[in-house]
């Protein structure tokens, strides 16, 4: 009997990349490959890369240098590069790194088994052409041995690509044009996932709430041509609108939580805002990137909204769902950003009182409109602004966390806490990390939905106590303390 060959995937970057790695793992499993325990016992290693900032891209180059030894230390080892750097660089990577066997871009996941097989015959290949058809979403159903998330969470792609062309962002060139997936397929995949035990689904798309907009526009133009007059717009609860999708998914019994990432402020309409107040399954958290609080900078970033329009949107969302947690992304040191612009950002952050934020120093990316702006902010100023912004956020986050001490929150259990000790960890509906201790006798298993009393707070997490007596609810899965977390429950496609 021939021993099956084993693969390992190392993933950098966003949720989109994590999910692409899952898709490729699934394709390889269907092709007869097995998952390795780590890169040490893998015959095929794939690096799934990120190029959102310069630093992420350079990490790949140093990683590839180190992997020369991995490749040479056993015969027949194959090395592939995927993701956004692969899409941008294509066969330049093959020329620059002789240890590399294949490169595939963000639209060519389905080619991986064939490229891996060709590599064994000594064929070095790069596939980066854009695929604008629906067949890119056409992937085999989940292989039985694909190790899922221990906490019973899954991503579901609803759209890919981006047509927004924010002036700082490389994504439109690495992910291509915006294309939405057929609604019925999204619902069918979600139903299958829930039937297999998934409790929480996160809908993925670069501008996820723009879902279906091009198809609706094309359909409207078609019906205008045909009828020579009235436009038959699809009703907003049809699954070809984003809110229609959320409502249809909310009908799936046993789906406990629904999230989406990342929306763009300009694609929030009344229906979506209302859904936040009406749909129980929809988690009370929105990650809504704002990037800057200065109108001048927002304009130069081509974000298509002002700081006040963003504030008004937050007010409308909070009117619909008062306890909504809002998190965001921010960039400091964008070309031309003055002290006054930065002060506007600090003001917006205070006004909105974000529960949390990710903030970054601007990094010029090749081919973007901002890369040719010459009024750069010097590194030390950008660094100082980043630190000031992060200090402010830390105090806001700590305040938001402290305000919740005494509350009982629902936690989807992930596993042992990163803080070590005997604590477990999970996330609550607001997407806050909750580290909690358990009683001596029993402890909740990953994937269990349990109730935890919040007893303390740090800027990074809520600290809680779980008590079995809280659980009058059959949804929670309890295991005896000391029972190991099942081996197959570890996450595979880690970062
Ligand atoms: N420089 C710095 N940060 C960036 N982001 C995207 N492009 C850049 C860039 N060129 C940030 C944005 C985005 C997040 C995913 O990464 O804040 O929302
Ligand atoms: Fe990049 Fe802007 Fe598209 Fe987001 S909306 S992926 S920031 S271009």
């Amino acid at each position: 009997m021939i021993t099956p060959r084993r693969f390992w995937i190392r993933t950098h970057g966003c949720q989109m990349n994590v999910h692409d790695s899952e898709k490729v793992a699934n394709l390889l499993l269907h092709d007869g490959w097995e998952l390795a325990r780590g890169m040490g016992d893998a015959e095929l290693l794939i690096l799934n890369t990120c190029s959102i900032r310069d630093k992420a891209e350079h990490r790949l180059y140093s990683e590839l240098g180190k992997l020369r030894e991995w490749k040479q230390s056993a015969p027949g080892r194959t090395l592939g590069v995927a993701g956004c750097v692969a899409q941008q660089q294509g066969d330049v990577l093959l020329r620059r790194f002789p240890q590399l066997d294949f490169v595939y871009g963000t639209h060519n996941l389905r080619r991986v088994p064939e490229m891996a097989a060709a590599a064994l015959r000594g064929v070095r290949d790069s596939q980066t052409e854009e695929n604008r058809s629906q067949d890119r979403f056409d992937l085999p159903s989940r292989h039985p041995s694909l190790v899922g998330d221990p906490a019973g969470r899954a991503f579901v792609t609803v759209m890919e690509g981006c047509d927004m062309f924010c002036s700082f962002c490389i994504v439109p060139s690495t992910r291509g044009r915006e294309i939405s997936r057929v609604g019925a397929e999204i619902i069918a995949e979600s139903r299958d996932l829930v039937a297999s035990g998934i409790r929480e689904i996160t809908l993925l798309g670069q501008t996820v709430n723009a879902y279906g907009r091009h198809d609706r526009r094309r359909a409207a133009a078609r019906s205008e041509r045909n009828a020579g007059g009235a436009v038959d717009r699809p009703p907003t609860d049809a699954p070809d609108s984003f809110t229609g999708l959320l409502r249809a998914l909310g009908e799936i019994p046993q789906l406990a939580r629904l999230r989406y990432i990342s929306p763009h402020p300009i694609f929030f309409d009344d229906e979506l805002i209302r859904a936040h107040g009406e749909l129980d399954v929809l988690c009370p958290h929105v990650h809504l990137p704002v990037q800057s609080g200065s109108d001048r900078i927002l304009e130069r970033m081509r974000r298509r909204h002002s700081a006040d329009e963003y504030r008004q949107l937050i007010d409308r969302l909070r009117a619909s769902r008062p306890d909504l947690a809002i998190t965001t992304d921010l960039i400091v040191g964008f070309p031309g950003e003055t002290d006054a612009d930065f002060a506007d950002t600090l003001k917006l952050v205070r006004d909105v009182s974000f529960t949390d934020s990710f903030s970054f120093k601007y990094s010029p990316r090749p081919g973007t409109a901002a890369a040719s702006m010459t009024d750069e902010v010097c590194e030390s100023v950008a660094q100082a602004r980043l630190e000031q912004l992060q200090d402010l956020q830390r105090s806001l986050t700590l305040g938001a966390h402290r305000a919740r001490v005494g509350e009982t929150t629902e936690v989807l259990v992930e596993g042992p806490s990163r803080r070590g000790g005997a604590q477990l960890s999970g996330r609550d509906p607001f997407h806050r990390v909750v580290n909690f201790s358990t009683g001596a006798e029993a402890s909740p298993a990953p994937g269990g939905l349990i109730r935890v009393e919040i007893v303390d707070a740090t800027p990074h997490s809520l600290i809680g106590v779980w008590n079995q007596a809280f659980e009058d609810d059959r949804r929670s899965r309890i295991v005896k303390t000391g029972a190991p977390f099942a081996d197959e429950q570890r996450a595979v496609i880690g970062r």
Side-chain angles (χ1 to χ4, degrees):
M1 195 180 105
I2 303 168
T3 325
R5 288 166 52 78
R6 285 156 301 189
F7 69 92
W8 190 248
I9 306 178
R10 253 199 210 173
T11 310
H12 299 287
C14 64
Q15 287 88 345
M16 211 69 76
N17 264 13
V18 172
H19 194 35
D20 281 353
S21 290
E22 289 169 347
K23 290 174 181 171
V24 166
N26 193 37
L27 284 161
L28 288 167
L29 290 167
H30 278 283
D31 199 49
W33 288 79
E34 273 186 1
L35 183 68
R37 285 189 301 273
M39 60 180 250
D41 72 331
E43 280 97 25
L44 165 64
L45 175 62
I46 295 176
L47 304 179
N48 195 358
T49 63
C50 170
S51 64
I52 196 94
R53 284 168 291 274
D54 187 52
K55 223 195 247 169
E57 185 174 340
H58 281 96
R59 193 177 314 141
L60 166 70
Y61 301 137
S62 76
E63 210 173 345
L64 276 175
K66 288 185 206 138
L67 285 171
R68 198 175 309 133
E69 204 183 307
W70 174 86
K71 164 106 179 175
Q72 285 162 356
S73 62
R77 278 186 158 171
T78 302
L79 184 57
V81 168
C84 292
V85 182
Q87 184 66 39
Q88 258 175 282
Q89 304 285 339
D91 46 17
V92 172
L93 286 175
L94 285 184
R95 286 199 293 277
R96 183 165 161 197
F97 297 98
Q99 65 272 41
L100 199 52
D101 296 287
F102 65 87
V103 174
Y104 65 93
T106 52
H107 293 202
N108 298 276
L109 310 189
R110 294 191 310 168
R111 309 289 293 269
V112 174
E114 151 202 339
M115 292 175 97
L120 280 182
R121 301 190 303 273
V123 179
R124 299 177 77 225
D125 194 9
S126 155
Q127 298 286 344
T128 54
E129 73 275 15
E130 187 173 351
N131 173 3
R132 294 196 184 184
S133 79
Q134 278 286 328
D135 67 10
R136 67 206 253 184
F137 298 117
D138 232 357
L139 292 160
S141 59
R142 205 180 166 95
H143 191 276
S145 56
L146 183 65
V147 182
D149 176 79
R153 299 167 303 183
F155 293 124
V156 172
T157 303
V158 306
M159 53 91 73
E160 285 182 350
C162 183
D163 288 351
M164 298 303 286
F165 291 94
C166 298
S167 64
F168 53 83
C169 187
I170 199 159
V171 166
S173 76
T174 58
R175 291 272 168 185
R177 298 290 53 77
E178 187 180 314
I179 166 167
S180 292
R181 191 176 171 196
V182 170
E185 287 185 19
I186 298 169
I187 291 164
E189 183 185 349
S190 304
R191 279 188 194 287
D192 286 351
L193 286 168
V194 173
S196 74
I198 292 296
R199 324 291 299 273
E200 176 179 306
I201 285 180
T202 301
L203 303 180
L204 283 185
Q206 236 78 49
T207 50
V208 69
N209 56 337
Y211 172 77
R213 66 175 174 140
H214 291 328
D215 304 294
R216 286 194 298 278
R217 203 187 45 223
R218 274 193 291 270
R222 253 196 320 273
S223 78
E224 214 164 37
R225 269 198 311 274
N226 295 344
V231 177
D232 66 337
R233 292 194 179 283
T236 50
D237 61 347
D240 59 353
S241 76
F242 186 63
T243 309
L245 253 188
L246 296 179
R247 291 192 183 275
L249 294 171
E251 300 288 308
I252 302 176
Q254 301 304 321
L255 176 62
R257 291 178 172 186
L258 183 58
R259 303 181 184 277
Y260 58 87
I261 193 161
S262 279
H264 189 293
I266 70 165
F267 298 116
F268 273 88
D269 54 17
D270 291 344
E271 283 72 28
L272 178 51
I273 291 170
R274 198 175 323 123
H276 273 281
E278 292 176 358
L279 267 182
D280 285 342
V281 73
L282 194 54
C283 286
H285 167 231
V286 177
H287 181 73
L288 186 52
V290 66
Q291 317 297 357
S292 170
S294 151
D295 286 346
R296 217 175 56 81
I297 297 297
L298 285 169
E299 170 105 41
R300 299 190 94 197
M301 286 178 162
R302 299 194 185 149
R303 289 291 293 177
R304 309 180 202 208
H305 63 79
S306 66
D308 275 348
E309 282 163 347
Y310 185 90
R311 283 184 180 87
Q312 284 153 18
L313 172 57
I314 300 297
D315 289 346
R316 287 162 64 212
L317 278 162
R318 284 182 170 150
S320 171
R321 177 79 207 224
D323 60 350
L324 193 68
I326 315 264
T327 57
T328 199
D329 291 342
L330 294 149
I331 296 177
V332 298
F334 186 79
E337 185 187 68
T338 62
D339 286 344
D341 293 318
F342 179 60
D344 285 346
T345 297
L346 294 175
K347 180 165 183 339
L348 179 89
V349 169
R350 268 191 222 100
D351 289 349
V352 173
S353 192
F354 291 108
T355 306
D356 215 339
S357 61
F358 297 102
S359 41
F360 312 98
K361 270 185 286 182
Y362 168 71
S363 163
R365 306 310 294 131
T368 59
S372 54
M373 296 178 183
T374 51
D375 42 358
E376 292 133 347
V377 171
C378 83
E379 164 64 28
S380 60
V381 170
Q383 180 62 32
R385 287 179 185 164
L386 185 70
E387 287 168 17
Q388 201 181 339
L389 183 58
Q390 292 182 343
D391 282 349
L392 169 62
Q393 185 60 64
R394 231 184 325 275
S395 69
L396 290 173
T397 303
L398 182 59
H401 286 179
R402 281 195 177 140
R404 296 190 53 203
V405 172
E407 226 180 79
T408 296
T409 194
E410 181 201 72
V411 173
L412 181 60
V413 183
E414 288 172 29
S417 160
R418 283 193 190 170
R419 286 159 57 101
Q423 284 193 333
L424 297 181
S425 185
R427 287 198 187 247
D428 74 0
F430 305 93
H431 210 238
R432 298 288 83 204
V433 173
V434 183
N435 294 307
F436 58 96
S437 43
T438 62
E441 253 115 71
S443 122
L449 270 173
I450 58 158
R451 285 183 295 158
V452 171
E453 188 190 342
I454 302 169
V455 295
D456 202 356
T458 77
H460 309 289
S461 64
L462 300 165
I463 314 294
V465 176
W466 175 76
N467 181 334
Q468 193 170 4
F470 294 158
E471 309 300 339
D472 53 6
D473 172 346
R474 279 179 296 121
R475 287 185 307 176
S476 53
R477 295 197 285 137
I478 315 295
V479 293
K480 288 262 183 287
T481 300
F485 289 103
D487 201 32
E488 72 273 16
Q489 288 174 331
R490 90 208 123 94
V492 190
I493 317 295
R495 297 204 195 186

